[in-house]
Structure formats: structure tokens, C-alpha cells
């Protein structure tokens, strides 16, 4: 196994304050793309809701400041956080690391019952110039990587005989073509994730495994900072569709993600939860 493991020991648990439909206590949640940005924020949200978390990312180590904040939250909640270096395009790595996380969760009485597939990449190239090899790389990370994550997460849950919730991070770009952005491969990869969700939900519902997509609008993260650096006028274009007068921040997705993972959404599967500040509601 090629993972790098950073572990934090559980401390004395405090009384849970989260209402039960939104509680993630007594379970482990694995988050790909959990080394920074949205993924690490959603790991924090899971900890606040009472979960033990395992973050997987291709980065050698998580973003230090954000990780330190997560560790403080684990100490308050009496849960653990682990970090595992993992490339979601490697089926062998995802298999062995999720198995390790599932076994560790079972051993501490907190089965792996939730996964957020958040790892992703973005690239802005005009379609007429888009190299097919780059197009394939985008699909490999954003679509196949999400599939492989969901596949092994579901397999671990089936082997352990536990129910679970799998949240695939898609994008509003799976449904609309963003003005000003030449991102055909990215948009295609996210539309594929939305359809993958419906197919997996259809296959795994009888096993007690729910699958939903969470589709964000524009969020200020390293990913969008890179796009804005190449073309600062983009922000004006994006703000024209911002019905709430601002772009998103990672914290805006904490409650939607926890809702999809927790029992409060127990009758929801094969659905897309779009959280975009109203962007897709107006033309
Ligand atoms: N930022 C936005 O506006 C926005 C909007 C809609 C959807 N999303 C989606 O949200 C998710 C998180 O994006 P973000 O904005 O936090 O960007 P980000 O670049 O900060 O985070 C993406 C993470 O995925 C990791 N990653 C990339 N390739 C990987 C691989 N092969 N294996 C494992 N990890 C890998 C990166 O190292 C990074 O930590 C992505 O799926 C993205 O498409 C973002």
C-alpha cells in the first residue's frame, strides 16, 4: 500500500449536539480530494456531525493550516482523522486504502458508512485545440476516479453488511455550459458523474446503499483561483448569474453534504442536489 498515514487519537467524547437526522456519529466517512479545498472542508463538516474521517488525496500531505483546524475539531468531538496519500485513478490503491479504512472503522465500532468522492481536476482549453489525451485524462480522474471510489466503497459496505451513503461531487457544469469557460472535458466528466449516480443508485438500493450527487456552483478554491488567474474578467461573468450576490465558499456545502450522508436523507437516492447560489435558475 502506498498510502502515507497521519492519525489522530480520539480523546474524551463530548455530548453530541447535532440533531439526530443530521448526526454522523458512530461511523467513518472517507473523503477523496480531502487534502485541501472543498474535500477538507467537508471532512470538517463530517467531524462536526460526529464522524471519524479518513481523507484521501494525491497530495503528499494535506494543506497544513486546514489540517490543523480539522485536528482541533476532532479533539472537540472525540473522533479521529486520518490522511492517506491515494491516486483515485489507481484501482489497486483505492481498493487497499478503502479496505484499510473499513477495517480500522470496524475495529473502533465506527463502520465505513459514508463516502464523499470529491477528488477532481479542471482545465480550460478551447474545444478545437483540446488534445484527446488531455480529454481522456480529465475523464480518468473526474469520472473513472469517482466510479472506482464508489465501487470499492460499496464493496466494503456490502462485505461488512452495513448500509451507507455515497455522495459524488459533480457540478452545475454537468447540466449547463458555463459562459466564458472553454471546459468541454470538465463539463462532460461532470455530466457523466450525474448519470453514473442514477445507475449506481439503481444497482445498490437493495443493498441499503444510497448514491446521490452534490452539484456545486462557483466556489472560491484553488481550482477556481487558477481559472481566474488566467482570465480575471471571468469573475464579472460569473457574478452576473449570482442571484445571492456572491460566489460560493466551501462552508456553503457543509450542511448539504452532511444531509446527504445522514439518516435525514434516508429516502433520497439517485438524486442531484444542486447548490449554486441560484446560478442555474436564470438565463
Ligand atoms: N471550485 C468550484 O467552483 C467547483 C464547482 C463545482 C464542482 N467542484 C468540484 O469540487 C471538487 C473539489 O474541488 P475544489 O474546488 O476543492 O478543487 P481543489 O483543486 O482544491 O481540490 C481537488 C482535490 O482533488 C485532488 N486530486 C486531484 N487529482 C487527484 C487524484 N488523481 N487522486 C486523488 N486526489 C486527486 C487534488 O489534489 C485536490 O486536493 C472537484 O470535484 C470539483 O470538480 C468545484
Amino acid at each position: 500500500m502506498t498510502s502515507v498515514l497521519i492519525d489522530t487519537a480520539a480523546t474524551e467524547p463530548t455530548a453530541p449536539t447535532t440533531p439526530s437526522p443530521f448526526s454522523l456519529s458512530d461511523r467513518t466517512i472517507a473523503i477523496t480530494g480531502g487534502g485541501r479545498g472543498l474535500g477538507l472542508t467537508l471532512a470538517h463538516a463530517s467531524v462536526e456531525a460526529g464522524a471519524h474521517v479518513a481523507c484521501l488525496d494525491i497530495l503528499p500531505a494535506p494543506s497544513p493550516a486546514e489540517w490543523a483546524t480539522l485536528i482541533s475539531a476532532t479533539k472537540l468531538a472525540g473522533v479521529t482523522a486520518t490522511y492517506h496519500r491515494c491516486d483515485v485513478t489507481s484501482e489497486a490503491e483505492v481498493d487497499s486504502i478503502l479496505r484499510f479504512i473499513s477495517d480500522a472503522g470496524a475495529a473502533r465500532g465506527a463502520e465505513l458508512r459514508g463516502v464523499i468522492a470529491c477528488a477532481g481536476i479542471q482545465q480550460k482549453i478551447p474545444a478545437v485545440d483540446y488534445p484527446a489525451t488531455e480529454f481522456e485524462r480529465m475523464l480518468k480522474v473526474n469520472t473513472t476516479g469517482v466510479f472506482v471510489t464508489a465501487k470499492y466503497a460499496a464493496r466494503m459496505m456490502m462485505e461488512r453488511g452495513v448500509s451507507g451513503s455515497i455522495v459524488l461531487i459533480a457540478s452545475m457544469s454537468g447540466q449547463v455550459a458555463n459562459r466564458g469557460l472553454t471546459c468541454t472535458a470538465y463539463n462532460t466528466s461532470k455530466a457523466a458523474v450525474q448519470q453514473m449516480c442514477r445507475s449506481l443508485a439503481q444497482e445498490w438500493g437493495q443493498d441499503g446503499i444510497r448514491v446521490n450527487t452534490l452539484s456545486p456552483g462557483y466556489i472560491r478554491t484553488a481550482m477556481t483561483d487558477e481559472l481566474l488567474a488566467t482570465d480575471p474578467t471571468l469573475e464579472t461573468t460569473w457574478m452576473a448569474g449570482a442571484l445571492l450576490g456572491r460566489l460560493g465558499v466551501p462552508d456553503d456545502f457543509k450542511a448539504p453534504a452532511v444531509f446527504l450522508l445522514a439518516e435525514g436523507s434516508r429516502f433520497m437516492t439517485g438524486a442531484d442536489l444542486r447548490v449554486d447560489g441560484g446560478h442555474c435558475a436564470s438565463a
Side-chain angles (χ1 to χ4, degrees):
M1 189 169 77
T2 59
S3 71
V4 171
L5 176 66
I6 302 173
D7 206 348
T8 58
T11 51
E12 277 302 298
T14 52
T17 51
T18 315
S20 62
F22 304 102
S23 171
L24 298 177
S25 59
D26 301 325
R27 68 190 68 189
T28 299
I29 307 291
I31 302 112
T32 72
R36 71 176 192 200
L38 184 61
L40 194 37
T41 301
L42 299 185
H44 196 144
S46 301
V47 163
E48 287 171 336
H52 296 264
V53 295
C55 294
L56 293 74
D57 203 291
I58 201 166
L59 298 172
S63 167
E66 292 173 82
W67 186 256
T69 309
L70 177 72
I71 296 311
S72 303
T74 62
K75 287 180 178 149
L76 273 178
V79 295
T80 58
T82 56
Y83 184 81
H84 311 259
R85 188 175 185 189
C86 176
D87 180 349
V88 294
T89 68
S90 162
E91 201 162 353
E93 280 186 30
V94 174
D95 181 10
S96 68
I97 292 167
L98 283 183
R99 185 167 296 281
F100 176 86
I101 292 165
S102 172
D103 289 347
R108 64 164 66 99
E111 299 273 6
L112 176 65
R113 293 188 50 208
V115 169
I116 305 176
C118 189
I121 55 172
Q122 168 64 295
Q123 196 175 39
K124 180 171 166 273
I125 304 177
V128 288
D129 298 324
Y130 219 115
T133 48
E134 287 298 292
F135 198 101
E136 283 166 1
R137 188 174 71 90
M138 181 71 64
L139 295 184
K140 192 166 183 191
V141 178
N142 288 10
T143 307
T144 311
V146 164
F147 171 69
V148 165
T149 303
K151 169 184 164 179
Y152 286 100
R155 192 180 278 189
M156 302 308 152
M157 289 172 194
M158 287 175 195
E159 282 180 14
R160 300 279 318 154
V162 296
S163 60
S165 171
I166 298 176
V167 179
L168 312 178
I169 302 299
S171 170
M172 68 173 178
S173 307
Q175 291 168 301
V176 296
N178 315 54
R179 283 181 196 222
L181 278 186
T182 53
C183 295
T184 298
Y186 179 84
N187 297 354
T188 304
S189 73
K190 294 299 186 179
V193 168
Q194 288 169 347
Q195 178 60 352
M196 184 194 306
C197 163
R198 292 182 276 268
S199 295
L200 298 180
Q202 184 274 131
E203 283 196 42
W204 296 341
Q206 68 273 21
D207 296 295
I209 299 169
R210 301 185 294 112
V211 189
N212 293 288
T213 45
L214 173 56
S215 288
Y218 296 115
I219 322 166
R220 287 307 298 257
T221 63
M223 184 179 274
T224 40
D225 285 348
E226 234 171 79
L227 290 175
L228 292 169
T230 63
D231 180 0
T233 65
L234 276 179
E235 186 154 4
T236 313
T237 311
W238 294 355
M239 283 302 293
L243 300 193
L244 296 174
R246 66 174 176 87
L247 303 180
V249 293
D251 272 14
D252 292 328
F253 302 89
K254 281 175 143 187
V258 168
F259 166 68
L260 289 177
L261 289 169
E263 296 308 307
S265 61
R266 63 186 177 271
F267 197 53
M268 191 171 168
T269 195
D272 181 49
L273 181 55
R274 197 179 69 221
V275 180
D276 66 352
H279 196 94
C280 294
S282 71

